[in-house]
Amino acid sequence: MNEDEIGRLVVDTAVPVPVVYDGLSFDEGFRIDLIVEGKVIVELKCVEKLHYAHRKQLLTYLCLADKRLGYLLNFGEALMKNGVVRLAPLAPWLENSMPLTTLTSQ
């Protein structure tokens, strides 16, 4: 895990996420692209179009890492503003969960 300081923000990169399933433990089941200030997950993509599976991936990371806010950034869009998705799920695993909001420019 790397910790970089961008301006005044602390950013962890390639953060391993352990997974436990049916009694089996995987120390590195997933890798989160970026975690900003220990609070916000950022997943980076470079695809022609974001699919539902990309949102589900981010939701899984939010659940496993116990975070409340995530962003998908797709660098494959012609305009970057069209490649930004914000997810703040209603999450039973969080004490004061927020309603699901998905913002896109499409």
Side-chain angles (χ1 to χ4, degrees):
M1 172 171 28
N2 297 327
E3 196 171 280
D4 299 316
E5 204 169 305
I6 300 174
R8 295 179 185 235
L9 298 177
V10 176
V11 179
D12 296 317
T13 59
V15 180
V17 179
V19 175
V20 177
Y21 177 75
D22 199 26
L24 296 173
S25 180
F26 302 92
D27 294 335
E28 203 172 301
F30 300 105
R31 278 194 178 266
I32 296 173
D33 291 337
L34 304 170
I35 298 182
V36 180
E37 288 291 311
K39 296 179 182 180
V40 179
I41 293 177
V42 179
E43 267 305 298
L44 307 174
K45 302 291 179 195
C46 188
V47 294
E48 193 171 313
K49 181 180 177 184
L50 286 174
H51 295 283
Y52 182 70
H54 297 122
R55 288 173 175 78
K56 289 293 288 180
Q57 177 187 16
L58 180 55
L59 286 171
T60 299
Y61 290 174
L62 287 168
C63 175
L64 292 173
D66 197 25
K67 304 296 179 211
R68 298 177 181 195
L69 179 61
Y71 285 92
L72 277 172
L73 302 181
N74 182 19
F75 292 93
E77 290 282 348
L79 294 173
M80 189 62 208
K81 70 177 185 175
N82 296 334
V84 177
V85 176
R86 177 184 186 269
L87 292 175
L90 175 61
W93 67 90
L94 299 172
E95 287 179 25
N96 300 311
S97 57
M98 316 175 206
L100 175 65
T101 58
T102 304
L103 304 177
T104 60
S105 304
Q106 300 174 6

